[in-house]
Amino acid sequence: MIENRPFLAFLTHLVLILGVVIVVFPVYLAFVASTHGSGDFMRGLVPLLPGPHMIENYSFMLNEGISTAGAPPLSIMLLNSLVMAISIAVGKIIISILSAYAIVFFKFPFRLLAFWTIFITLMLPVEVRIIPTFKVVADLGMLNSYPGLIIPLIASATATFLFRQFFLTVPDELMEAARVDGAGPMKFFRDILLPLSRTNIAALFVILFIYGWVQYLWPLLVTTDSRYYTIVMGIKRLAATADAEPQWNFVMAAVILAMLPPVLVVILMQRLFVKGLVETEK
């Protein structure tokens, strides 16, 4: 039985509210800054109330952008980031779930060696192998292209490990019952394992989508054509230009727009995301 302690409950809620304020206040300042004109920042003070230029600033950044920053309109960069993030998330999940399925349910020589070889690649992120990866991508003619942005980031040892650990919890009786009913390997995978893995897939999709969305170093290396710039690259260019000219209202408008897709993905998939992280029994 949990005791009712009003002071402890008040203290807990106070800490939570303070935490939310600390997290949300910078986002609020960014939104407020995105609704003002450039001249409002000449005084060196950040306004605390929204201004009258919200629609003007956002429409300007989405449709035109700042040419002096060498970046295209935000609509193009948002589309590039969306294509990259979705492709990386979906590609990682497909490759990982299939490889984990093969490792757990198929008996073949050096099965564990194959798994540990995949797992060891966790020690070789893109940042470590970036020069040979760039050389391969350049030799294949994939610079300034969506395949060049996506394919080198599409494999995931972490997702393979997580799916393997879940598949190991699937009872052998379930597989034997499916075999008695005449279900082949792919039918067992499609009709039984995929529905059971739904929450795991949702949780991984959210994590991997954000991973693909915030990529900066790799897109910076493989794209010199502004048509393939991502939103994170665009923000960096806008911020560098804002140091010379006080256009922080446009930079903050780009930041707010860049936040929206990941936030929407988390909100829309919140229930499945939490279940995929905490659920232990299927």
Side-chain angles (χ1 to χ4, degrees):
M1 184 175 180
I2 300 176
E3 297 183 8
N4 183 17
R5 298 182 179 179
F7 176 75
L8 184 59
F10 170 77
L11 183 61
T12 303
H13 284 82
L14 180 63
V15 172
L16 290 174
I17 292 172
L18 288 176
V20 170
V21 171
I22 292 173
V23 172
V24 172
F25 186 66
V27 179
Y28 172 75
L29 285 182
F31 170 73
V32 169
S34 69
T35 62
H36 285 266
S38 300
D40 294 341
F41 298 91
M42 296 297 291
R43 297 169 293 181
L45 299 175
V46 179
L48 294 179
L49 296 177
H53 300 286
M54 175 180 173
I55 297 178
E56 174 187 342
N57 292 344
Y58 281 88
S59 62
F60 174 78
M61 292 303 295
L62 282 172
N63 300 319
E64 299 181 33
I66 302 177
S67 58
T68 56
L74 287 187
S75 56
I76 297 176
M77 293 188 288
L78 287 170
L79 178 62
N80 292 338
S81 291
L82 189 64
V83 171
M84 182 178 174
I86 291 177
S87 300
I88 288 175
V90 173
K92 279 178 177 286
I93 289 173
I94 291 175
I95 292 175
S96 301
I97 198 170
L98 288 175
S99 59
Y101 176 58
I103 290 171
V104 173
F105 291 99
F106 288 83
K107 310 298 182 183
F108 56 90
F110 308 110
R111 182 167 56 115
L112 289 179
L113 178 61
F115 167 72
W116 286 110
T117 302
I118 294 172
F119 191 72
I120 287 172
T121 60
L122 283 172
M123 296 184 290
L124 297 171
V126 175
E127 292 77 10
V128 174
R129 51 184 169 84
I130 199 163
I131 294 178
T133 304
F134 176 82
K135 180 69 166 57
V136 171
V137 170
D139 291 343
L140 293 176
M142 293 194 301
L143 298 179
N144 292 315
S145 67
Y146 286 128
L149 285 169
I150 296 166
I151 293 176
L153 304 176
I154 210 169
S156 175
T158 304
T160 302
F161 174 75
L162 293 176
F163 280 122
R164 174 185 177 270
Q165 295 305 110
F166 166 64
F167 289 160
L168 288 174
T169 65
V170 176
D172 294 336
E173 292 80 3
L174 196 61
M175 183 176 60
E176 294 172 1
R179 189 176 300 165
V180 170
D181 289 341
M186 294 311 298
K187 184 174 178 61
F188 172 70
F189 173 76
R190 183 182 65 250
D191 295 343
I192 296 178
L193 285 184
L194 277 184
L196 289 175
S197 307
R198 186 169 60 103
T199 54
N200 301 76
I201 291 173
L204 280 172
F205 179 84
V206 174
I207 296 171
L208 297 176
F209 179 88
I210 296 175
Y211 165 84
W213 185 266
V214 301
Q215 284 296 313
Y216 171 69
L217 180 59
W218 180 248
L220 183 67
L221 287 177
V222 299
T223 56
T224 56
D225 188 340
S226 61
R227 293 177 300 172
Y228 294 98
Y229 284 175
T230 61
I231 187 63
V232 179
M233 293 175 60
I235 292 173
K236 176 63 175 67
R237 288 176 173 269
L238 292 172
T241 305
D243 287 336
E245 301 178 14
Q247 295 180 313
W248 286 106
N249 53 331
F250 296 135
V251 177
M252 294 306 168
V255 169
I256 294 298
L257 289 172
M259 287 176 52
L260 291 180
V263 170
L264 289 175
V265 168
V266 172
I267 291 175
L268 293 176
M269 303 187 69
Q270 180 181 11
R271 183 176 60 86
L272 290 175
F273 175 69
V274 173
K275 287 182 66 177
L277 292 179
V278 303
E279 197 171 60
T280 57
E281 296 181 2
K282 301 294 176 181

